[in-house]
Amino acid sequence: MSIDVEDWFQVENLKGVIASDTWDEQDLRVERNTDRMLELMDTHGVRCTCFILGWVAEKCPDLIKRIADAGHEIASHGYGHDLIYNLSHDEFREDMKRGIGIVEDLTGAKIRGYRAPSFSITDWSIDILQELGLTYDSSAFPTVAHDRYGKLAGMDSGQPIVEIREGFHEVCVSVLKVGKKGIPWAGGGYFRLFPYPVFKRGVKKILNAGNPYVFYIHPWEVDPGQPRVEGLKRSHKFRHYNNLDRCDARFDDLLKSFTWRPVGELLDDELKNA
């Protein structure tokens, strides 16, 4: 179970109409939404990995402390939610240093994991993550073509956990194998798009095949009352707002329907049993 802790106005689908230099002017809703998810997870005895955006940690330090105090794994989502392949190597390195530093100072926890904004991972970014002391990434989404997802050399939908550098592992978000193709089945917009009983059957199929299942979600996805902005492309509007009113109940049911653990614990168990 994993949560990418970012706010509604920071997502890529809205970047065409909400510039990052206006974030301070937006309705900050990430704290109440994350607290709702923490409440649901506590009810069902679930611990997860929270990939925390440094900008959010800066604005909501008490929230980050509550996440850590509840026993969830603390990981990094960088600082500014920029797509990696739009940054230079130095810009990415500085974004990561800033994001990691803020979160580690707040929690006292050593960060070992990372997830790229919009899964925009690249081969060269892995070298920088390892340079900064991280030991795993969970950004690879080995699925059919997507306009934002990055790629890592040698990854495919049949390899959920791979050592891609010595001492550094990739933990893929989950796909449902259909022939040689991987259909995205890890959460987010797909969790809201597919009929929920169909989605649950897909999760069971992945688990029954002997593979781990890695789910992700964002706090804004349980918030149907978030602002509606004008001027979006039709596809971006659909991706962001589709079925927000159903997501809270689906998340609640998903938590109680399966046994969950943080991503880091999944990796540790896989290495122990290798």
Side-chain angles (χ1 to χ4, degrees), residues 48-265:
C48 77
T49 297
C50 287
F51 293 96
I52 297 170
L53 197 68
W55 188 95
V56 169
E58 215 168 44
K59 300 295 180 182
C60 307
D62 289 341
L63 170 64
I64 309 311
K65 293 175 184 177
R66 288 197 297 276
I67 293 171
D69 289 345
H72 301 290
E73 180 187 11
I74 303 297
S76 178
H77 203 33
Y79 178 84
H81 210 264
D82 293 302
L83 302 180
I84 291 178
Y85 42 71
N86 289 341
L87 300 174
S88 70
H89 294 205
D90 286 341
E91 288 171 335
F92 176 66
R93 182 181 288 105
E94 291 309 308
D95 178 90
M96 287 300 303
K97 284 182 179 179
R98 187 177 183 185
I100 290 171
I102 292 168
V103 175
E104 287 189 341
D105 286 348
L106 284 171
T107 65
K110 173 63 178 173
I111 287 179
R112 56 185 291 215
Y114 172 70
R115 177 168 291 151
S118 298
F119 306 102
S120 57
I121 197 67
T122 65
D123 285 313
W124 60 260
S125 65
I126 299 296
D127 298 327
I128 294 174
L129 295 177
Q130 194 168 28
E131 168 194 318
L132 296 176
L134 278 68
T135 59
Y136 81 82
D137 173 68
S138 184
S139 307
F141 212 152
T143 182
V144 292
H146 189 282
D147 57 346
R148 297 188 192 123
Y149 296 167
K151 291 184 179 180
L152 293 174
M155 299 298 301
D156 63 47
S157 56
Q159 297 177 292
I161 300 177
V162 179
E163 187 175 25
I164 53 177
R165 303 285 192 279
E166 184 177 354
F168 190 98
H169 288 78
E170 183 66 33
V171 182
C172 296
V173 291
S174 290
V175 298
L176 185 64
K177 289 295 292 291
V178 178
K180 293 185 178 181
K181 300 292 185 181
I183 306 300
W185 217 266
Y190 311 107
F191 182 56
R192 292 180 282 116
L193 173 64
F194 299 119
Y196 182 58
V198 174
F199 189 89
K200 280 181 71 174
R201 286 199 295 271
V203 175
K204 291 176 182 177
K205 185 174 180 180
I206 292 169
L207 293 171
N208 289 339
N211 291 316
Y213 178 72
V214 178
F215 179 82
Y216 75 92
I217 193 169
H218 308 88
W220 56 264
E221 292 187 275
V222 298
D223 181 16
Q226 66 188 262
R228 262 52 175 179
V229 296
E230 301 298 324
L232 296 176
K233 289 182 179 181
R234 184 176 298 176
S235 61
H236 291 178
K237 183 177 181 180
F238 178 79
R239 286 185 196 180
H240 188 78
Y241 294 115
N242 180 54
N243 284 337
L244 289 180
D245 58 331
R246 301 180 181 181
C247 195
D248 184 280
R250 291 183 178 188
F251 183 56
D252 184 28
D253 185 80
L254 193 74
L255 288 171
K256 69 183 179 184
S257 296
F258 300 94
T259 301
W260 301 98
R261 54 183 164 170
V263 177
E265 285 190 12

